[in-house]
PDB file of all heavy atoms in Angstrom:
ATOM      1  N   VAL E 920       5.525  -9.555  -0.543  1.00 98.00           N
ATOM      2  CA  VAL E 920       4.891  -8.840  -1.716  1.00 98.00           C
ATOM      3  C   VAL E 920       5.515  -7.451  -1.998  1.00 98.00           C
ATOM      4  O   VAL E 920       5.520  -6.943  -3.080  1.00 98.00           O
ATOM      5  CB  VAL E 920       3.379  -8.738  -1.503  1.00 98.00           C
ATOM      6  CG1 VAL E 920       2.726  -9.989  -1.608  1.00 98.00           C
ATOM      7  CG2 VAL E 920       2.955  -7.966  -0.295  1.00 98.00           C
ATOM      8  N   LEU E 921       6.021  -6.859  -0.954  1.00 98.00           N
ATOM      9  CA  LEU E 921       6.660  -5.536  -1.100  1.00 98.00           C
ATOM     10  C   LEU E 921       7.790  -5.517  -2.116  1.00 98.00           C
ATOM     11  O   LEU E 921       8.089  -4.561  -2.823  1.00 98.00           O
ATOM     12  CB  LEU E 921       7.136  -4.938   0.227  1.00 98.00           C
ATOM     13  CG  LEU E 921       7.709  -3.580   0.207  1.00 98.00           C
ATOM     14  CD1 LEU E 921       6.712  -2.552  -0.255  1.00 98.00           C
ATOM     15  CD2 LEU E 921       8.328  -3.253   1.592  1.00 98.00           C
ATOM     16  N   VAL E 922       8.473  -6.654  -2.161  1.00 98.00           N
ATOM     17  CA  VAL E 922       9.628  -6.879  -3.080  1.00 98.00           C
ATOM     18  C   VAL E 922       9.160  -6.721  -4.581  1.00 98.00           C
ATOM     19  O   VAL E 922       9.841  -6.175  -5.392  1.00 98.00           O
ATOM     20  CB  VAL E 922      10.353  -8.102  -2.824  1.00 98.00           C
ATOM     21  CG1 VAL E 922      11.552  -8.311  -3.823  1.00 98.00           C
ATOM     22  CG2 VAL E 922      10.852  -8.174  -1.349  1.00 98.00           C
ATOM     23  N   ALA E 923       7.912  -7.266  -4.785  1.00 98.00           N
ATOM     24  CA  ALA E 923       7.439  -7.173  -6.168  1.00 98.00           C
ATOM     25  C   ALA E 923       7.253  -5.703  -6.595  1.00 98.00           C
ATOM     26  O   ALA E 923       7.547  -5.346  -7.712  1.00 98.00           O
ATOM     27  CB  ALA E 923       6.088  -7.854  -6.190  1.00 98.00           C
ATOM     28  N   TYR E 924       6.891  -4.845  -5.639  1.00 98.00           N
ATOM     29  CA  TYR E 924       6.814  -3.408  -5.861  1.00 98.00           C
ATOM     30  C   TYR E 924       8.207  -2.891  -6.120  1.00 98.00           C
ATOM     31  O   TYR E 924       8.415  -2.110  -7.103  1.00 98.00           O
ATOM     32  CB  TYR E 924       6.115  -2.673  -4.730  1.00 98.00           C
ATOM     33  CG  TYR E 924       6.136  -1.205  -4.740  1.00 98.00           C
ATOM     34  CD1 TYR E 924       5.421  -0.444  -5.648  1.00 98.00           C
ATOM     35  CD2 TYR E 924       7.058  -0.539  -3.875  1.00 98.00           C
ATOM     36  CE1 TYR E 924       5.543   0.899  -5.689  1.00 98.00           C
ATOM     37  CE2 TYR E 924       7.177   0.890  -4.036  1.00 98.00           C
ATOM     38  CZ  TYR E 924       6.337   1.582  -4.867  1.00 98.00           C
ATOM     39  OH  TYR E 924       6.549   2.975  -4.946  1.00 98.00           O
ATOM     40  N   LEU E 925       9.147  -3.126  -5.263  1.00 98.00           N
ATOM     41  CA  LEU E 925      10.489  -2.628  -5.372  1.00 98.00           C
ATOM     42  C   LEU E 925      11.130  -2.998  -6.738  1.00 98.00           C
ATOM     43  O   LEU E 925      11.914  -2.171  -7.320  1.00 98.00           O
ATOM     44  CB  LEU E 925      11.348  -3.174  -4.237  1.00 98.00           C
ATOM     45  CG  LEU E 925      10.943  -2.764  -2.813  1.00 98.00           C
ATOM     46  CD1 LEU E 925      11.913  -3.322  -1.787  1.00 98.00           C
ATOM     47  CD2 LEU E 925      10.908  -1.174  -2.630  1.00 98.00           C
ATOM     48  N   ILE E 926      10.822  -4.180  -7.211  1.00 98.00           N
ATOM     49  CA  ILE E 926      11.414  -4.660  -8.480  1.00 98.00           C
ATOM     50  C   ILE E 926      10.778  -3.980  -9.717  1.00 98.00           C
ATOM     51  O   ILE E 926      11.440  -3.319 -10.447  1.00 98.00           O
ATOM     52  CB  ILE E 926      11.304  -6.177  -8.580  1.00 98.00           C
ATOM     53  CG1 ILE E 926      12.224  -6.819  -7.573  1.00 98.00           C
ATOM     54  CG2 ILE E 926      11.779  -6.612 -10.021  1.00 98.00           C
ATOM     55  CD1 ILE E 926      12.088  -8.368  -7.515  1.00 98.00           C
ATOM     56  N   HIS E 927       9.564  -4.099  -9.768  1.00 97.00           N
ATOM     57  CA  HIS E 927       8.843  -3.622 -11.033  1.00 97.00           C
ATOM     58  C   HIS E 927       8.757  -2.191 -11.157  1.00 97.00           C
ATOM     59  O   HIS E 927       8.617  -1.644 -12.193  1.00 97.00           O
ATOM     60  CB  HIS E 927       7.448  -4.277 -11.240  1.00 97.00           C
ATOM     61  CG  HIS E 927       6.328  -3.507 -10.524  1.00 97.00           C
ATOM     62  ND1 HIS E 927       5.972  -3.608  -9.249  1.00 97.00           N
ATOM     63  CD2 HIS E 927       5.492  -2.561 -11.077  1.00 97.00           C
ATOM     64  CE1 HIS E 927       5.001  -2.741  -8.988  1.00 97.00           C
ATOM     65  NE2 HIS E 927       4.624  -2.167 -10.120  1.00 97.00           N
ATOM     66  N   GLU E 928       8.833  -1.439  -9.939  1.00 96.00           N
ATOM     67  CA  GLU E 928       8.634   0.048 -10.025  1.00 96.00           C
ATOM     68  C   GLU E 928       9.969   0.817  -9.861  1.00 96.00           C
ATOM     69  O   GLU E 928      10.001   1.964  -9.623  1.00 96.00           O
ATOM     70  CB  GLU E 928       7.587   0.475  -8.917  1.00 96.00           C
ATOM     71  CG  GLU E 928       7.125   1.898  -9.026  1.00 96.00           C
ATOM     72  CD  GLU E 928       6.492   2.318 -10.319  1.00 96.00           C
ATOM     73  OE1 GLU E 928       6.297   1.430 -11.180  1.00 96.00           O
ATOM     74  OE2 GLU E 928       6.276   3.555 -10.471  1.00 96.00           O
ATOM     75  N   HIS E 929      11.099   0.060  -9.898  1.00 97.00           N
ATOM     76  CA  HIS E 929      12.395   0.685  -9.937  1.00 97.00           C
ATOM     77  C   HIS E 929      12.522   1.549 -11.232  1.00 97.00           C
ATOM     78  O   HIS E 929      12.102   1.149 -12.290  1.00 97.00           O
ATOM     79  CB  HIS E 929      13.506  -0.290  -9.858  1.00 97.00           C
ATOM     80  CG  HIS E 929      14.882   0.310  -9.660  1.00 97.00           C
ATOM     81  ND1 HIS E 929      15.572   0.724 -10.731  1.00 97.00           N
ATOM     82  CD2 HIS E 929      15.613   0.484  -8.547  1.00 97.00           C
ATOM     83  CE1 HIS E 929      16.802   1.219 -10.227  1.00 97.00           C
ATOM     84  NE2 HIS E 929      16.784   1.093  -8.990  1.00 97.00           N
ATOM     85  N   PRO E 930      13.067   2.789 -11.064  1.00 96.00           N
ATOM     86  CA  PRO E 930      13.056   3.729 -12.229  1.00 96.00           C
ATOM     87  C   PRO E 930      13.825   3.201 -13.487  1.00 96.00           C
ATOM     88  O   PRO E 930      13.630   3.661 -14.591  1.00 96.00           O
ATOM     89  CB  PRO E 930      13.727   4.999 -11.706  1.00 96.00           C
ATOM     90  CG  PRO E 930      14.338   4.550 -10.408  1.00 96.00           C
ATOM     91  CD  PRO E 930      13.585   3.465  -9.892  1.00 96.00           C
ATOM     92  N   LEU E 931      14.769   2.191 -13.290  1.00 97.00           N
ATOM     93  CA  LEU E 931      15.454   1.665 -14.414  1.00 97.00           C
ATOM     94  C   LEU E 931      14.716   0.403 -15.012  1.00 97.00           C
ATOM     95  O   LEU E 931      14.919   0.060 -16.140  1.00 97.00           O
ATOM     96  CB  LEU E 931      16.857   1.229 -14.011  1.00 97.00           C
ATOM     97  CG  LEU E 931      17.747   2.404 -13.544  1.00 97.00           C
ATOM     98  CD1 LEU E 931      19.192   1.816 -13.352  1.00 97.00           C
ATOM     99  CD2 LEU E 931      17.861   3.503 -14.635  1.00 97.00           C
ATOM    100  N   VAL E 932      13.835  -0.189 -14.226  1.00 96.00           N
ATOM    101  CA  VAL E 932      13.131  -1.380 -14.661  1.00 96.00           C
ATOM    102  C   VAL E 932      11.838  -0.798 -15.318  1.00 96.00           C
ATOM    103  O   VAL E 932      11.323  -1.421 -16.290  1.00 96.00           O
ATOM    104  CB  VAL E 932      12.718  -2.235 -13.519  1.00 96.00           C
ATOM    105  CG1 VAL E 932      11.803  -3.434 -14.015  1.00 96.00           C
ATOM    106  CG2 VAL E 932      14.004  -2.869 -12.838  1.00 96.00           C
ATOM    107  N   ARG E 933      11.237   0.201 -14.747  1.00 94.00           N
ATOM    108  CA  ARG E 933       9.965   0.744 -15.314  1.00 94.00           C
ATOM    109  C   ARG E 933       9.892   0.948 -16.822  1.00 94.00           C
ATOM    110  O   ARG E 933       9.009   0.499 -17.425  1.00 94.00           O
ATOM    111  CB  ARG E 933       9.679   2.116 -14.563  1.00 94.00           C
ATOM    112  CG  ARG E 933       8.239   2.605 -14.678  1.00 94.00           C
ATOM    113  CD  ARG E 933       8.082   3.916 -13.994  1.00 94.00           C
ATOM    114  NE  ARG E 933       8.562   3.860 -12.698  1.00 94.00           N
ATOM    115  CZ  ARG E 933       9.280   4.860 -12.115  1.00 94.00           C
ATOM    116  NH1 ARG E 933       9.612   5.956 -12.729  1.00 94.00           N
ATOM    117  NH2 ARG E 933       9.620   4.785 -10.836  1.00 94.00           N
ATOM    118  N   PRO E 934      10.929   1.712 -17.438  1.00 92.00           N
ATOM    119  CA  PRO E 934      10.772   1.774 -18.871  1.00 92.00           C
ATOM    120  C   PRO E 934      10.917   0.469 -19.564  1.00 92.00           C
ATOM    121  O   PRO E 934      10.307   0.413 -20.752  1.00 92.00           O
ATOM    122  CB  PRO E 934      12.029   2.755 -19.197  1.00 92.00           C
ATOM    123  CG  PRO E 934      12.942   2.692 -18.021  1.00 92.00           C
ATOM    124  CD  PRO E 934      12.048   2.428 -16.830  1.00 92.00           C
ATOM    125  N   LEU E 935      11.648  -0.382 -19.143  1.00 93.00           N
ATOM    126  CA  LEU E 935      11.730  -1.763 -19.811  1.00 93.00           C
ATOM    127  C   LEU E 935      10.488  -2.454 -19.771  1.00 93.00           C
ATOM    128  O   LEU E 935      10.044  -3.092 -20.690  1.00 93.00           O
ATOM    129  CB  LEU E 935      12.817  -2.603 -19.035  1.00 93.00           C
ATOM    130  CG  LEU E 935      14.269  -1.967 -18.992  1.00 93.00           C
ATOM    131  CD1 LEU E 935      15.142  -2.896 -18.239  1.00 93.00           C
ATOM    132  CD2 LEU E 935      14.844  -1.865 -20.430  1.00 93.00           C
TER     133      LEU E 935
END
Side-chain angles (χ1 to χ4, degrees):
V920 293
L921 182 62
V922 179
Y924 169 76
L925 298 179
I926 293 175
H927 90 272
E928 190 56 11
H929 187 274
L931 296 184
V932 176
R933 193 184 306 137
L935 301 174

